[in-house]
C-alpha cells in the first residue's frame, strides 16, 4: 500500500529529529535545511509514483535519507577519481597527475606568502614569470620563455603579439580543431591575424609557402597535428625548412607543438614526436606547447623562443588576462627541475612513467595488484588479468597503441554496465572501460595509492 503525499512530515517536524538536531550542531543550518528539502522532494516524487512505503517514513529512515543528502551537499564537487581507463592524458580526468616531489613546494607556496612578484636581490618589484624562465631556457635551448594558463592562451598571445593585423601563412592540413571549440582559424581571427591557407589537406610544399609571402605576411605558422594523423600520400614542410624560408624573407616562424615533450620519446615508445628542443634547434622563432600533456606538469601554456619576439609578449595587454597563478608556477617549477636529469624525469613524472611502462612491468604490477585485491574483497568479485592496449590521449600521439595489462572485473548477476555505474558512484569514483562486453581496469593508469579506493570499490560490488 503506497503512502499518500499527506503522510509526508513537514520540515518543522524533521528539524526536531534527534539525528537532525545532531547534524545542526556540526553543519550550517541552511545546508541542513537544503538537505531536508531535497529529501522531501524525493519522498513526494515516490508518493506521486505510488512507490512510497510506510518504512520510508519512520524516524530512522527519514534521518538516514537526510544524512545522505547532507553528505552529497558537503562533499567537494571536484574530487579524486581512480583512472582505470588506460588513457594517460585523459582531459576529462584532469590530464597529468603531478610528480609527488612538488607536493612540499606546493604546500609552502599555497599556505604562506611567497616572492611571486618580488625580486629578493633588490627588494623591488619582480615578475612572476621569472621563476621558470631560466629553467625553460636551459631545458629547451631557447633565449627566452613565458608561461600562461594553457596552450590555447599561448597561441592566442603569440599570434596577437607577432602578427595582429597581418597575415599568417598556414598549411591547409594544419588548420586543426583541438577540441573544446579550439580551432586554429578561430584563434587566428580572435588574435586579429588574417589566415593565409596554403597547400592541400594532405600535401603542402615549401614553394606553397614561398609563393604566398607578400608585404602583408607577418608570420609563418606550423601547427603540430597532435590529435590526428594523415597517412598515405602526404607531404609537409619541416620546421627547419620553414624557419629557413622565414629568415630569408624576414618573417618570424612559429610552431604550435601542442603536446610539447622535453624528453625524446621515439626510442622509448616508438612514436614519431619531435621534442621542443628540436623545434628550437631547427630555428623556429617561437614554440608553444602545453604543460599538462606529455610534459606531465600542471595546466599551463609555455612559450619559448627568441628574446626579440618573447619580450613584446611580456608587455602585451593580453598577458595580464592570461597570467598563471602561483600554485601553477610552483608545480611547474618542481616538474621542470626533474628534467635536468632525464632518468629522474622518466622515473618520477607520472605521465612519463605511465607512457613508458612496458607490458612486462605492467603485467607484473597487475598480478601483484590482483593478488592484493583478491585477498581483500569477497570471492564473488572475480579479478582476472587480460592483455590489451592503452592510449596516450589528451590529443597526443593518436596512432600509438601501447601494449598493457588489464584487470577484468566480473560479478555474477551484474552486467559490465552495472559494474561501471556502481564503481563510478563510489565515494572515490573508479573510472574504467567496457570492451567486448567486459569491464576493464587498465593497470597503466592506476596509481600506487589507488589500492584502498580500488579495495573499497570492488567491495561495494559484492553487496547484494
Ligand atoms: C592541445 C593543443 C592545444 C591546446 O592546448 P591546451 O593546453 O589544452 O590549451 C593547442 N594546439 C595544439 C596543437 C594542441 O595539441
Amino acid at each position: 500500500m503506497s503512502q499518500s503525499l499527506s503522510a509526508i512530515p513537514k520540515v518543522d517536524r524533521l528539524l526536531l529529529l534527534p539525528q537532525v538536531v545532531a547534524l545542526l550542531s556540526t553543519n550550517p543550518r541552511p545546508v541542513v535545511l537544503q538537505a531536508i528539502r531535497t529529501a522531501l522532494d524525493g519522498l513526494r516524487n515516490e508518493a506521486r509514483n505510488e512507490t512510497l512505503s510506510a518504512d520510508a517514513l519512520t524516524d530512522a529512515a527519514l534521518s538516514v535519507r537526510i544524512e545522505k543528502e547532507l553528505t552529497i551537499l558537503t562533499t567537494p564537487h571536484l574530487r579524486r577519481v581512480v583512472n582505470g581507463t588506460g588513457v594517460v592524458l585523459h582531459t576529462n580526468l584532469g590530464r597529468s597527475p603531478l610528480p609527488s616531489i612538488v607536493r612540499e613546494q606546493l604546500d609552502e607556496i599555497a599556505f604562506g606568502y611567497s616572492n611571486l612578484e618580488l625580486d629578493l636581490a633588490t627588494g623591488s618589484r619582480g615578475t612572476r614569470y621569472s621563476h621558470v624562465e631560466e629553467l625553460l631556457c636551459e631545458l629547451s635551448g631557447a633565449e627566452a620563455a613565458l608561461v600562461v594558463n594553457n596552450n590555447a592562451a599561448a597561441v592566442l598571445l603569440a599570434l596577437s603579439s607577432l602578427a595582429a593585423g597581418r597575415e599568417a601563412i598556414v598549411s591547409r592540413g594544419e588548420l586543426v580543431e583541438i577540441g573544446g571549440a579550439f580551432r586554429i582559424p578561430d584563434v587566428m581571427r580572435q588574435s586579429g591575424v588574417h589566415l593565409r591557407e596554403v597547400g592541400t589537406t594532405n600535401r603542402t610544399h615549401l614553394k606553397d609557402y614561398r609563393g604566398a609571402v607578400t608585404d602583408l605576411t607577418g608570420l609563418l605558422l606550423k601547427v603540430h597535428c597532435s590529435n590526428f594523423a594523415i597517412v598515405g600520400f602526404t607531404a609537409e614542410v619541416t620546421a627547419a625548412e620553414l624557419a629557413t624560408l622565414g629568415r630569408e624573407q624576414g618573417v618570424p616562424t612559429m610552431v604550435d607543438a601542442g603536446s610539447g615533450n622535453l624528453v625524446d620519446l621515439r626510442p622509448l615508445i616508438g612514436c614519431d614526436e619531435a621534442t621542443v628542443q628540436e623545434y628550437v634547434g631547427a630555428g623556429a622563432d617561437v614554440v608553444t606547447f602545453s604543460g599538462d600533456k606529455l610534459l606531465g606538469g600542471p595546466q599551463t601554456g609555455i612559450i619559448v623562443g627568441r628574446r626579440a619576439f618573447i619580450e613584446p609578449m611580456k608587455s602585451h595587454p593580453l598577458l595580464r588576462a592570461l597570467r598563471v597563478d602561483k600554485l601553477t608556477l610552483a608545480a611547474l617549477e618542481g616538474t621542470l627541475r626533474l628534467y635536468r636529469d632525464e632518468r629522474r624525469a622518466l622515473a618520477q613524472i607520472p605521465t612519463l612513467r605511465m607512457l613508458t611502462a612496458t607490458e612486462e612491468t605492467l603485467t607484473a604490477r597487475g598480478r601483484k595488484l590482483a593478488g592484493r585485491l583478491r585477498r581483500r574483497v569477497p570471492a564473488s568479485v572475480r579479478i582476472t588479468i587480460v592483455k590489451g592496449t592503452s592510449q596516450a590521449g589528451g590529443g597526443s600521439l593518436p596512432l600509438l597503441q601501447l601494449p598493457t595489462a588489464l584487470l577484468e572485473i566480473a560479478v555474477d548477476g551484474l552486467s559490465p554496465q552495472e559494474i561501471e555505474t556502481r564503481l563510478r558512484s563510489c565515494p572515490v569514483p573508479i573510472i574504467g572501460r567496457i570492451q567486448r562486453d567486459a569491464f576493464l581496469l587498465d593497470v597503466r593508469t592506476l596509481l600506487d595509492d589507488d589500492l584502498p579506493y580500488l579495495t573499497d570499490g570492488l567491495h561495494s560490488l559484492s553487496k547484494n
Side-chain angles (χ1 to χ4, degrees):
M1 188 52 200
S2 164
Q3 302 292 302
S4 69
L5 277 169
S6 61
I8 299 172
K10 300 271 176 298
V11 174
D12 292 349
R13 189 172 94 59
L14 295 175
L15 279 169
L16 298 174
L17 291 172
Q19 290 91 327
V20 175
V21 173
L23 293 177
L24 280 166
S25 69
T26 48
N27 292 277
R29 190 178 170 87
V31 183
V32 177
L33 280 172
Q34 179 62 42
I36 292 176
R37 288 197 195 100
T38 312
L40 286 174
D41 285 344
L43 292 168
R44 286 190 202 108
N45 275 338
E46 288 171 28
R48 282 188 208 104
N49 298 333
E50 304 191 348
T51 55
L52 181 61
S53 71
D55 290 347
L57 296 176
T58 63
D59 285 359
L62 289 167
S63 304
V64 167
R65 198 183 273 251
I66 292 166
E67 214 159 338
K68 245 190 195 158
E69 294 300 342
L70 189 68
T71 305
I72 294 172
L73 285 173
T74 53
T75 302
H77 201 272
L78 178 62
R79 53 200 162 115
R80 168 89 182 241
V81 306
V82 172
N83 178 6
T85 64
V87 179
V88 178
L89 297 169
H90 202 304
T91 300
N92 300 357
L93 303 184
R95 287 198 189 154
S96 287
L98 296 175
S100 58
I101 198 164
V102 309
R103 203 183 296 260
E104 212 169 299
Q105 197 179 356
L106 263 180
D107 202 60
E108 289 262 304
I109 301 305
F111 298 101
Y113 293 103
S114 60
N115 62 335
L116 182 64
E117 292 193 346
L118 177 70
D119 183 341
L120 290 173
T122 62
S124 54
R125 177 154 190 190
T127 84
R128 64 182 62 217
Y129 306 101
S130 66
H131 304 290
V132 289
E133 180 164 18
E134 266 179 46
L135 200 48
L136 280 168
C137 291
E138 172 193 321
L139 296 170
S140 68
E143 287 175 6
L146 186 57
V147 177
V148 290
N149 266 328
N150 50 42
N151 189 32
V155 174
L156 179 69
L157 174 63
L159 287 175
S160 307
S161 176
L162 291 165
R166 304 174 68 88
E167 283 185 359
I169 305 177
V170 197
S171 159
R172 197 159 270 141
E174 297 175 4
L175 292 173
V176 303
E177 174 177 308
I178 307 304
F182 180 86
R183 289 178 161 179
I184 291 293
D186 296 341
V187 182
M188 293 185 97
R189 203 168 307 121
Q190 198 64 43
S191 344
V193 174
H194 306 292
L195 170 62
R196 182 79 165 81
E197 287 176 51
V198 293
T200 60
T201 305
N202 58 330
R203 288 173 75 83
T204 303
H205 308 279
L206 192 60
K207 63 176 190 290
D208 297 323
Y209 290 91
R210 182 174 279 125
V213 175
T214 66
D215 289 350
L216 300 173
T217 308
L219 185 69
L220 303 180
L221 174 64
K222 184 166 179 60
V223 181
H224 176 54
C225 302
S226 40
N227 60 357
F228 72 104
I230 298 179
V231 294
F233 187 54
T234 64
E236 70 173 305
V237 173
T238 65
E241 292 168 317
L242 209 55
T244 306
L245 175 66
R247 270 193 303 277
E248 192 185 294
Q249 303 283 339
V251 176
T253 306
M254 165 174 158
V255 177
D256 172 10
S259 357
N261 42 315
L262 290 170
V263 166
D264 188 359
L265 293 168
R266 284 167 291 205
L268 299 168
I269 52 175
C271 63
D272 185 21
E273 199 83 354
T275 61
V276 172
Q277 299 89 309
E278 285 169 54
Y279 287 125
V280 172
D285 295 300
V286 171
V287 182
T288 71
F289 53 101
S290 287
D292 59 349
K293 289 186 182 171
L294 296 176
L295 192 85
Q299 180 194 301
T300 40
I302 300 172
I303 310 173
V304 299
R306 297 253 310 279
R307 187 167 295 115
F309 298 108
I310 303 285
E311 285 307 316
M313 294 182 203
K314 291 182 181 170
S315 49
H316 194 284
L318 252 185
L319 180 64
R320 179 60 181 80
L322 308 175
R323 81 176 185 189
V324 277
D325 148 76
K326 60 187 175 185
L327 294 184
T328 305
L329 283 168
L332 181 64
E333 184 181 359
T335 308
L336 289 173
R337 279 181 190 281
L338 290 170
Y339 278 97
R340 285 179 157 163
D341 176 350
E342 193 171 302
R343 277 167 316 173
R344 268 185 93 197
L346 287 168
Q348 295 189 25
I349 296 173
T351 297
L352 291 182
R353 196 175 55 218
M354 289 180 195
L355 277 173
T356 57
T358 62
E359 189 180 6
E360 295 75 62
T361 312
L362 293 168
T363 306
R365 269 187 64 206
R367 286 214 184 93
K368 212 158 127 190
L369 179 62
R372 285 184 174 167
L373 288 169
R374 283 189 201 112
R375 282 195 292 281
R376 288 170 168 84
V377 302
S380 59
V381 179
R382 293 191 308 281
I383 305 162
T384 39
I385 300 192
V386 296
K387 284 173 188 279
T389 55
S390 15
Q391 290 170 359
S396 306
L397 315 175
L399 295 182
L400 192 67
Q401 296 283 336
L402 298 161
T404 193
L406 305 151
L407 300 187
E408 181 176 335
I409 310 295
V411 182
D412 284 335
L414 287 183
S415 68
Q417 285 73 19
E418 284 166 326
I419 295 179
E420 189 274 334
T421 311
R422 288 240 210 145
L423 292 179
R424 185 160 39 81
S425 21
C426 285
V428 175
I430 298 170
I431 315 296
R433 63 179 202 241
I434 296 173
Q435 232 170 347
R436 282 174 262 109
D437 209 33
F439 180 83
L440 304 167
L441 293 172
D442 193 324
V443 176
R444 183 180 302 274
T445 47
L446 297 177
L447 301 168
D448 288 338
D449 54 1
D450 283 338
L451 181 66
Y453 308 130
L454 287 166
T455 307
D456 290 351
L458 297 191
H459 232 286
S460 74
L461 294 177
S462 68
K463 290 174 197 147
N464 83 55

PDB file of all heavy atoms in Angstrom, residues 441-463:
ATOM      1  N   LEU A 441      39.902  -2.567 -16.034  1.00  0.00           N
ATOM      2  CA  LEU A 441      40.705  -1.504 -15.425  1.00  0.00           C
ATOM      3  C   LEU A 441      42.122  -1.662 -15.958  1.00  0.00           C
ATOM      4  O   LEU A 441      42.737  -2.720 -15.800  1.00  0.00           O
ATOM      5  CB  LEU A 441      40.696  -1.638 -13.897  1.00  0.00           C
ATOM      6  CG  LEU A 441      39.354  -1.383 -13.202  1.00  0.00           C
ATOM      7  CD1 LEU A 441      39.440  -1.736 -11.717  1.00  0.00           C
ATOM      8  CD2 LEU A 441      38.915   0.063 -13.384  1.00  0.00           C
ATOM      9  N   ASP A 442      42.632  -0.617 -16.603  1.00  0.00           N
ATOM     10  CA  ASP A 442      43.965  -0.681 -17.202  1.00  0.00           C
ATOM     11  C   ASP A 442      45.024  -0.375 -16.138  1.00  0.00           C
ATOM     12  O   ASP A 442      45.002   0.693 -15.519  1.00  0.00           O
ATOM     13  CB  ASP A 442      44.037   0.333 -18.349  1.00  0.00           C
ATOM     14  CG  ASP A 442      45.254   0.132 -19.227  1.00  0.00           C
ATOM     15  OD1 ASP A 442      46.325  -0.235 -18.694  1.00  0.00           O
ATOM     16  OD2 ASP A 442      45.146   0.352 -20.447  1.00  0.00           O
ATOM     17  N   VAL A 443      45.921  -1.316 -15.935  1.00  0.00           N
ATOM     18  CA  VAL A 443      46.944  -1.185 -14.893  1.00  0.00           C
ATOM     19  C   VAL A 443      47.839   0.038 -15.143  1.00  0.00           C
ATOM     20  O   VAL A 443      48.347   0.656 -14.212  1.00  0.00           O
ATOM     21  CB  VAL A 443      47.794  -2.478 -14.811  1.00  0.00           C
ATOM     22  CG1 VAL A 443      48.933  -2.335 -13.815  1.00  0.00           C
ATOM     23  CG2 VAL A 443      46.908  -3.663 -14.458  1.00  0.00           C
ATOM     24  N   ARG A 444      48.000   0.415 -16.429  1.00  0.00           N
ATOM     25  CA  ARG A 444      48.917   1.506 -16.773  1.00  0.00           C
ATOM     26  C   ARG A 444      48.614   2.796 -16.009  1.00  0.00           C
ATOM     27  O   ARG A 444      49.522   3.471 -15.546  1.00  0.00           O
ATOM     28  CB  ARG A 444      48.870   1.779 -18.284  1.00  0.00           C
ATOM     29  CG  ARG A 444      49.845   2.859 -18.745  1.00  0.00           C
ATOM     30  CD  ARG A 444      49.744   3.084 -20.240  1.00  0.00           C
ATOM     31  NE  ARG A 444      50.003   1.873 -20.999  1.00  0.00           N
ATOM     32  CZ  ARG A 444      51.209   1.453 -21.357  1.00  0.00           C
ATOM     33  NH1 ARG A 444      52.267   2.142 -21.014  1.00  0.00           N
ATOM     34  NH2 ARG A 444      51.343   0.337 -22.036  1.00  0.00           N
ATOM     35  N   THR A 445      47.322   3.137 -15.884  1.00  0.00           N
ATOM     36  CA  THR A 445      46.995   4.437 -15.301  1.00  0.00           C
ATOM     37  C   THR A 445      46.585   4.354 -13.831  1.00  0.00           C
ATOM     38  O   THR A 445      46.193   5.366 -13.247  1.00  0.00           O
ATOM     39  CB  THR A 445      45.876   5.130 -16.113  1.00  0.00           C
ATOM     40  OG1 THR A 445      44.833   4.179 -16.362  1.00  0.00           O
ATOM     41  CG2 THR A 445      46.399   5.639 -17.435  1.00  0.00           C
ATOM     42  N   LEU A 446      46.665   3.163 -13.240  1.00  0.00           N
ATOM     43  CA  LEU A 446      46.366   3.062 -11.810  1.00  0.00           C
ATOM     44  C   LEU A 446      47.593   3.528 -11.029  1.00  0.00           C
ATOM     45  O   LEU A 446      48.718   3.176 -11.368  1.00  0.00           O
ATOM     46  CB  LEU A 446      46.016   1.615 -11.435  1.00  0.00           C
ATOM     47  CG  LEU A 446      44.757   1.054 -12.117  1.00  0.00           C
ATOM     48  CD1 LEU A 446      44.541  -0.403 -11.736  1.00  0.00           C
ATOM     49  CD2 LEU A 446      43.529   1.888 -11.756  1.00  0.00           C
ATOM     50  N   LEU A 447      47.361   4.333  -9.998  1.00  0.00           N
ATOM     51  CA  LEU A 447      48.475   4.838  -9.195  1.00  0.00           C
ATOM     52  C   LEU A 447      48.653   3.950  -7.969  1.00  0.00           C
ATOM     53  O   LEU A 447      47.719   3.281  -7.529  1.00  0.00           O
ATOM     54  CB  LEU A 447      48.194   6.283  -8.760  1.00  0.00           C
ATOM     55  CG  LEU A 447      47.988   7.276  -9.915  1.00  0.00           C
ATOM     56  CD1 LEU A 447      47.433   8.600  -9.409  1.00  0.00           C
ATOM     57  CD2 LEU A 447      49.306   7.514 -10.645  1.00  0.00           C
ATOM     58  N   ASP A 448      49.849   3.977  -7.398  1.00  0.00           N
ATOM     59  CA  ASP A 448      50.120   3.122  -6.236  1.00  0.00           C
ATOM     60  C   ASP A 448      49.138   3.375  -5.094  1.00  0.00           C
ATOM     61  O   ASP A 448      48.702   2.450  -4.433  1.00  0.00           O
ATOM     62  CB  ASP A 448      51.549   3.339  -5.735  1.00  0.00           C
ATOM     63  CG  ASP A 448      52.558   2.734  -6.710  1.00  0.00           C
ATOM     64  OD1 ASP A 448      52.157   1.830  -7.485  1.00  0.00           O
ATOM     65  OD2 ASP A 448      53.722   3.173  -6.708  1.00  0.00           O
ATOM     66  N   ASP A 449      48.808   4.648  -4.865  1.00  0.00           N
ATOM     67  CA  ASP A 449      47.922   4.915  -3.731  1.00  0.00           C
ATOM     68  C   ASP A 449      46.439   4.759  -4.078  1.00  0.00           C
ATOM     69  O   ASP A 449      45.575   5.150  -3.304  1.00  0.00           O
ATOM     70  CB  ASP A 449      48.218   6.277  -3.095  1.00  0.00           C
ATOM     71  CG  ASP A 449      48.189   7.413  -4.090  1.00  0.00           C
ATOM     72  OD1 ASP A 449      47.917   7.154  -5.283  1.00  0.00           O
ATOM     73  OD2 ASP A 449      48.415   8.568  -3.687  1.00  0.00           O
ATOM     74  N   ASP A 450      46.133   4.178  -5.236  1.00  0.00           N
ATOM     75  CA  ASP A 450      44.730   3.879  -5.576  1.00  0.00           C
ATOM     76  C   ASP A 450      44.239   2.611  -4.876  1.00  0.00           C
ATOM     77  O   ASP A 450      43.030   2.355  -4.853  1.00  0.00           O
ATOM     78  CB  ASP A 450      44.572   3.674  -7.097  1.00  0.00           C
ATOM     79  CG  ASP A 450      44.571   4.994  -7.864  1.00  0.00           C
ATOM     80  OD1 ASP A 450      44.268   6.030  -7.250  1.00  0.00           O
ATOM     81  OD2 ASP A 450      44.872   4.967  -9.072  1.00  0.00           O
ATOM     82  N   LEU A 451      45.146   1.801  -4.327  1.00  0.00           N
ATOM     83  CA  LEU A 451      44.757   0.487  -3.782  1.00  0.00           C
ATOM     84  C   LEU A 451      43.581   0.546  -2.794  1.00  0.00           C
ATOM     85  O   LEU A 451      42.613  -0.201  -2.974  1.00  0.00           O
ATOM     86  CB  LEU A 451      45.966  -0.222  -3.153  1.00  0.00           C
ATOM     87  CG  LEU A 451      45.647  -1.615  -2.581  1.00  0.00           C
ATOM     88  CD1 LEU A 451      45.260  -2.605  -3.678  1.00  0.00           C
ATOM     89  CD2 LEU A 451      46.821  -2.162  -1.771  1.00  0.00           C
ATOM     90  N   PRO A 452      43.607   1.442  -1.785  1.00  0.00           N
ATOM     91  CA  PRO A 452      42.455   1.454  -0.864  1.00  0.00           C
ATOM     92  C   PRO A 452      41.142   1.793  -1.568  1.00  0.00           C
ATOM     93  O   PRO A 452      40.096   1.243  -1.215  1.00  0.00           O
ATOM     94  CB  PRO A 452      42.814   2.537   0.159  1.00  0.00           C
ATOM     95  CG  PRO A 452      44.101   3.122  -0.241  1.00  0.00           C
ATOM     96  CD  PRO A 452      44.685   2.359  -1.368  1.00  0.00           C
ATOM     97  N   TYR A 453      41.196   2.682  -2.549  1.00  0.00           N
ATOM     98  CA  TYR A 453      39.966   3.061  -3.253  1.00  0.00           C
ATOM     99  C   TYR A 453      39.461   1.892  -4.094  1.00  0.00           C
ATOM    100  O   TYR A 453      38.259   1.644  -4.181  1.00  0.00           O
ATOM    101  CB  TYR A 453      40.206   4.279  -4.151  1.00  0.00           C
ATOM    102  CG  TYR A 453      40.845   5.441  -3.435  1.00  0.00           C
ATOM    103  CD1 TYR A 453      41.964   6.084  -3.954  1.00  0.00           C
ATOM    104  CD2 TYR A 453      40.333   5.884  -2.213  1.00  0.00           C
ATOM    105  CE1 TYR A 453      42.556   7.147  -3.287  1.00  0.00           C
ATOM    106  CE2 TYR A 453      40.915   6.942  -1.542  1.00  0.00           C
ATOM    107  CZ  TYR A 453      42.035   7.566  -2.083  1.00  0.00           C
ATOM    108  OH  TYR A 453      42.617   8.611  -1.422  1.00  0.00           O
ATOM    109  N   LEU A 454      40.400   1.169  -4.701  1.00  0.00           N
ATOM    110  CA  LEU A 454      40.001   0.003  -5.500  1.00  0.00           C
ATOM    111  C   LEU A 454      39.392  -1.058  -4.599  1.00  0.00           C
ATOM    112  O   LEU A 454      38.389  -1.687  -4.940  1.00  0.00           O
ATOM    113  CB  LEU A 454      41.223  -0.569  -6.239  1.00  0.00           C
ATOM    114  CG  LEU A 454      41.731   0.265  -7.420  1.00  0.00           C
ATOM    115  CD1 LEU A 454      43.118  -0.196  -7.854  1.00  0.00           C
ATOM    116  CD2 LEU A 454      40.755   0.174  -8.590  1.00  0.00           C
ATOM    117  N   THR A 455      40.013  -1.242  -3.432  1.00  0.00           N
ATOM    118  CA  THR A 455      39.503  -2.234  -2.484  1.00  0.00           C
ATOM    119  C   THR A 455      38.063  -1.889  -2.087  1.00  0.00           C
ATOM    120  O   THR A 455      37.164  -2.717  -2.187  1.00  0.00           O
ATOM    121  CB  THR A 455      40.391  -2.268  -1.220  1.00  0.00           C
ATOM    122  OG1 THR A 455      41.740  -2.449  -1.641  1.00  0.00           O
ATOM    123  CG2 THR A 455      39.983  -3.390  -0.291  1.00  0.00           C
ATOM    124  N   ASP A 456      37.850  -0.629  -1.680  1.00  0.00           N
ATOM    125  CA  ASP A 456      36.501  -0.213  -1.271  1.00  0.00           C
ATOM    126  C   ASP A 456      35.514  -0.362  -2.420  1.00  0.00           C
ATOM    127  O   ASP A 456      34.395  -0.830  -2.233  1.00  0.00           O
ATOM    128  CB  ASP A 456      36.505   1.258  -0.809  1.00  0.00           C
ATOM    129  CG  ASP A 456      37.235   1.418   0.515  1.00  0.00           C
ATOM    130  OD1 ASP A 456      37.571   0.392   1.139  1.00  0.00           O
ATOM    131  OD2 ASP A 456      37.487   2.579   0.913  1.00  0.00           O
ATOM    132  N   GLY A 457      35.956   0.050  -3.598  1.00  0.00           N
ATOM    133  CA  GLY A 457      35.056  -0.001  -4.759  1.00  0.00           C
ATOM    134  C   GLY A 457      34.655  -1.420  -5.092  1.00  0.00           C
ATOM    135  O   GLY A 457      33.469  -1.726  -5.274  1.00  0.00           O
ATOM    136  N   LEU A 458      35.630  -2.325  -5.163  1.00  0.00           N
ATOM    137  CA  LEU A 458      35.316  -3.707  -5.523  1.00  0.00           C
ATOM    138  C   LEU A 458      34.489  -4.376  -4.425  1.00  0.00           C
ATOM    139  O   LEU A 458      33.629  -5.208  -4.695  1.00  0.00           O
ATOM    140  CB  LEU A 458      36.595  -4.501  -5.804  1.00  0.00           C
ATOM    141  CG  LEU A 458      37.428  -4.008  -7.002  1.00  0.00           C
ATOM    142  CD1 LEU A 458      38.509  -5.016  -7.355  1.00  0.00           C
ATOM    143  CD2 LEU A 458      36.563  -3.725  -8.214  1.00  0.00           C
ATOM    144  N   HIS A 459      34.754  -3.988  -3.192  1.00  0.00           N
ATOM    145  CA  HIS A 459      33.970  -4.489  -2.065  1.00  0.00           C
ATOM    146  C   HIS A 459      32.500  -4.160  -2.265  1.00  0.00           C
ATOM    147  O   HIS A 459      31.624  -4.995  -2.062  1.00  0.00           O
ATOM    148  CB  HIS A 459      34.452  -3.833  -0.763  1.00  0.00           C
ATOM    149  CG  HIS A 459      34.773  -4.832   0.296  1.00  0.00           C
ATOM    150  ND1 HIS A 459      33.803  -5.503   0.971  1.00  0.00           N
ATOM    151  CD2 HIS A 459      35.970  -5.276   0.754  1.00  0.00           C
ATOM    152  CE1 HIS A 459      34.392  -6.323   1.824  1.00  0.00           C
ATOM    153  NE2 HIS A 459      35.703  -6.213   1.707  1.00  0.00           N
ATOM    154  N   SER A 460      32.238  -2.919  -2.689  1.00  0.00           N
ATOM    155  CA  SER A 460      30.850  -2.476  -2.815  1.00  0.00           C
ATOM    156  C   SER A 460      30.104  -3.273  -3.889  1.00  0.00           C
ATOM    157  O   SER A 460      28.877  -3.350  -3.874  1.00  0.00           O
ATOM    158  CB  SER A 460      30.789  -0.980  -3.134  1.00  0.00           C
ATOM    159  OG  SER A 460      31.174  -0.764  -4.478  1.00  0.00           O
ATOM    160  N   LEU A 461      30.864  -3.902  -4.816  1.00  0.00           N
ATOM    161  CA  LEU A 461      30.211  -4.695  -5.863  1.00  0.00           C
ATOM    162  C   LEU A 461      29.653  -6.006  -5.305  1.00  0.00           C
ATOM    163  O   LEU A 461      28.750  -6.599  -5.880  1.00  0.00           O
ATOM    164  CB  LEU A 461      31.214  -5.045  -6.981  1.00  0.00           C
ATOM    165  CG  LEU A 461      31.751  -3.901  -7.820  1.00  0.00           C
ATOM    166  CD1 LEU A 461      32.772  -4.434  -8.817  1.00  0.00           C
ATOM    167  CD2 LEU A 461      30.618  -3.187  -8.540  1.00  0.00           C
ATOM    168  N   SER A 462      30.219  -6.461  -4.180  1.00  0.00           N
ATOM    169  CA  SER A 462      29.812  -7.754  -3.646  1.00  0.00           C
ATOM    170  C   SER A 462      28.531  -7.628  -2.833  1.00  0.00           C
ATOM    171  O   SER A 462      27.891  -8.615  -2.517  1.00  0.00           O
ATOM    172  CB  SER A 462      30.926  -8.346  -2.785  1.00  0.00           C
ATOM    173  OG  SER A 462      31.067  -7.555  -1.620  1.00  0.00           O
ATOM    174  N   LYS A 463      28.162  -6.375  -2.489  1.00  0.00           N
ATOM    175  CA  LYS A 463      26.942  -6.193  -1.685  1.00  0.00           C
ATOM    176  C   LYS A 463      25.714  -6.309  -2.563  1.00  0.00           C
ATOM    177  O   LYS A 463      25.596  -5.577  -3.540  1.00  0.00           O
ATOM    178  CB  LYS A 463      26.993  -4.846  -0.968  1.00  0.00           C
ATOM    179  CG  LYS A 463      28.044  -4.857   0.128  1.00  0.00           C
ATOM    180  CD  LYS A 463      28.213  -3.496   0.762  1.00  0.00           C
ATOM    181  CE  LYS A 463      29.530  -3.473   1.516  1.00  0.00           C
ATOM    182  NZ  LYS A 463      30.149  -2.168   1.505  1.00  0.00           N
TER     183      LYS A 463
END
